Amino acid sequence: MHSGNQTSVSHFILVGLHHPPQLGVPLFLAFLVIYALTVSGNGLIIFTVLVDTRLHRPMYWFLCHLSFLDMTVSSAIVPKMLAGFVLDSRVISFGGCVIQLFSFHFLGCTECFLYTLMAYDRFLAICKPLHYATIMTRNVCNYLALGTWLGGTLHSLFQTSFIFRLPFCGPNQVDYFFCDIPAMLRLACADITVNELVTFVDIGFLALTCFMLILTSYGYIVAAILRIQSADGRRNAFSTCAAHLTVVIVYYVPCTFIYLRPGSQEPLDGVVAVFYTVITPLLNPIVYTLRNKEMKAALWRLGGRKDVLPH
């Protein structure tokens, strides 16, 4: 680390969500239920896609990646939050803080790229159906998915190294429920103007570019859907796309609120952060199962196979 001899902090204390002491146990139970539903719901999607050959298509392959990302990003944040509610275990080592920040931004950036890729997949499927099978081959899907993970890795390595090159000499109380860029910058014992600018430009550029590509894809998709003569065809296409757009909106709006306002310290930041770290990973499996007929049919078939198993 740069300026390592100036760094005296060996651990941090996560202040967590501000709440009355009597709400500790109810909040623990609420977040525990949400976390369990998140892991089980996303795990069910992955399992269903893997065992149902009718879903072995690019759209559901990317959905598996999304479900895995939702499980892991929630697992990087929620367990430590739960421990803070009932065990008062709020201490996190310096290395643990580095790992948590890296993991969160690695998974979050990968998810950002994946949303863009999923929009491109829908664009090809609806706007270029005759060429879709030849363009989105298995190898192409694998390379594109790998590209999202590689992009997330490089982005997070850059952001994490740029944050922790700063000296941290106290205080060590993180006024947040996990180690994230805005909260950590407030603890640095150095001028953070450049860091705030780089964070704003880097995350802003990535988010804006991905969001504009998604909007462009869906602009073409909507135009193509309106040309479909069959009412059922239009309805099915809109249903699939509406599910994706819903997830994109609930992902991008909170992230924009948090990261594109340098120096913000509003109490509402913690509430918004809970939404995209805890609630959004739970919403994805709900949205994709309730709004997707093929997924619902696959789940019914999965249940039917269980029913006919010998006792």
Side-chain angles (χ1 to χ4, degrees), residues 131-309:
H131 303 285
Y132 180 74
T134 58
I135 297 176
M136 294 297 287
T137 63
R138 177 175 296 183
N139 285 337
V140 170
C141 289
N142 290 335
Y143 287 134
L144 290 174
L146 179 62
T148 64
W149 289 89
L150 180 60
T153 302
L154 295 176
H155 167 78
S156 188
L157 279 174
F158 170 72
Q159 285 289 349
T160 304
S161 60
F162 203 61
I163 293 293
F164 288 100
R165 72 179 181 83
L166 296 170
F168 292 89
C169 49
N172 66 341
Q173 286 196 334
V174 182
D175 192 16
Y176 219 48
F177 60 95
F178 71 102
C179 295
D180 198 12
I181 292 175
M184 299 309 299
L185 284 180
R186 291 196 287 270
L187 299 181
C189 303
D191 184 11
I192 61 172
T193 304
V194 175
N195 288 79
E196 288 184 332
L197 179 61
V198 169
T199 299
F200 178 83
V201 173
D202 179 33
I203 296 180
F205 174 77
L206 285 177
L208 182 60
T209 300
C210 290
F211 192 61
M212 292 305 297
L213 289 173
I214 292 172
L215 290 182
T216 301
S217 296
Y218 276 98
Y220 283 106
I221 289 171
V222 170
I225 290 175
L226 293 177
R227 292 196 296 266
I228 298 177
Q229 295 183 353
S230 167
D232 287 338
R234 287 196 301 270
R235 190 179 306 110
N236 291 336
F238 268 124
S239 177
T240 301
C241 295
H244 185 200
L245 276 177
T246 301
V247 171
V248 168
I249 290 172
V250 299
Y251 177 81
Y252 274 98
V253 171
C255 288
T256 301
F257 181 84
I258 294 294
Y259 296 107
L260 299 189
R261 298 176 305 128
S264 172
Q265 300 186 44
E266 296 181 15
L268 187 59
D269 288 4
V271 178
V272 175
V274 167
F275 189 84
Y276 70 82
T277 57
V278 181
I279 305 300
T280 300
L282 172 65
L283 291 179
N284 284 349
I286 296 175
V287 168
Y288 274 103
T289 52
L290 294 182
R291 298 297 302 270
N292 189 299
K293 291 183 179 180
E294 289 182 320
M295 276 300 303
K296 286 190 288 187
L299 289 171
W300 278 111
R301 289 193 296 271
L302 184 64
R305 282 197 293 272
K306 289 183 178 180
D307 292 340
V308 298
L309 287 174

